[in-house]
Amino acid sequence: MLRIGLTGPTGSGKSTVTALMRRWGGVAILDADTIAHEVNNSPACTAAIAAAFPGTCLPDGTIDRKALGTIVFSRPEELSRLVGITFPLILAECEARMDAAEAAGCRACVLDAPTLFESGGDKLCDVIVSVVTPREERLRRVLERDGITRKAAEARMSNQHEDEYYTRRSHFVITNSSDLAHLEKEVERCRRFLCL
């Protein structure tokens, strides 16, 4: 089974690309954000976070995300410590789901992960595909999708890497700079590249 890592900055159109890839047939799509949410709320992860960050566990056994955020977003070393706990658990779950897709007979599995490189998720993949879009178009999409102010959207985007970060690490680049018909052609070009 071909293991494909799909990444790119916010607003680039990864969700639309995965929807188009679903049409290929025999391809499993894994959403790393959804998996991360599930893992971060699991008893094992909650216990590890509570042990590493005393005072962040609520009486019901869940993590006080606000208190944790206050700690980790004010000190980079604390954020690194949190990521050191969560990323390995998330990657292990992603790998288990990829293995399950292979056991189910899928010919390919796409791991859609915005932080594919930062998390080390690229090491789970045979090939990396990035989706890039001009910055102004990404900004327009984020504003439309998330209903936030331009200032908030620009702040979110400024915390992410520029296109080159993704393109120089990828085997294939999908440029999402026009309409859906153009994107469909790009995704088809990717399918041919991957021999799927």
Side-chain angles (χ1 to χ4, degrees):
M1 182 185 75
L2 184 66
R3 297 175 184 229
I4 305 160
L6 181 72
T7 192
T10 188
S12 62
K14 293 184 300 299
S15 296
T16 306
V17 168
T18 57
L20 293 170
M21 287 177 163
R22 273 193 176 86
R23 298 179 184 175
W24 294 350
V27 177
I29 307 286
L30 302 180
D31 183 331
D33 283 345
T34 300
I35 294 170
H37 183 73
E38 292 169 9
V39 169
N40 287 337
N41 290 313
S42 70
C45 192
T46 299
I49 292 170
F53 298 94
T56 60
C57 191
L58 294 169
D60 66 359
T62 62
I63 295 297
D64 181 341
R65 300 286 170 192
K66 188 173 180 182
L68 182 61
T70 301
I71 295 167
V72 302
F73 293 121
S74 62
R75 296 192 301 261
E77 69 278 3
E78 295 299 330
L79 180 58
S80 293
R81 195 155 67 100
L82 176 63
V83 164
I85 294 167
T86 60
F87 276 179
L89 296 171
I90 295 165
L91 289 178
E93 183 61 25
C94 288
E95 186 169 26
R97 293 189 190 193
M98 288 176 136
D99 291 345
E102 185 168 19
C106 292
R107 57 194 183 114
C109 182
V110 177
L111 176 61
D112 175 1
T115 58
L116 185 72
F117 301 118
E118 299 88 336
S119 67
D122 56 317
K123 293 173 182 61
L124 301 177
C125 304
D126 303 312
V127 62
I128 307 299
V129 175
S130 62
V131 184
V132 296
T133 301
R135 185 176 178 82
E136 275 306 307
E137 177 60 17
R138 287 196 295 118
L139 179 60
R140 185 192 66 74
R141 290 176 186 170
V142 170
L143 288 169
E144 190 177 281
R145 179 189 71 199
D146 299 344
I148 57 177
T149 66
R150 185 178 181 94
K151 184 176 179 180
E154 286 175 340
R156 183 182 298 176
M157 288 173 63
S158 71
N159 288 327
Q160 293 196 330
H161 302 288
E162 293 301 320
D163 289 351
E164 185 191 359
Y165 175 84
Y166 301 97
T167 58
R168 67 186 161 141
R169 291 171 167 81
S170 300
H171 299 95
F172 190 89
V173 177
I174 293 174
T175 304
N176 184 11
S177 59
S178 185
D179 57 13
L180 182 59
H182 172 264
L183 184 59
E184 287 173 334
K185 288 177 185 171
E186 285 285 284
V187 173
E188 174 59 20
R189 198 168 60 86
C190 180
R191 186 191 65 76
R192 290 195 306 268
F193 171 80
L194 298 171
C195 300
L196 289 173

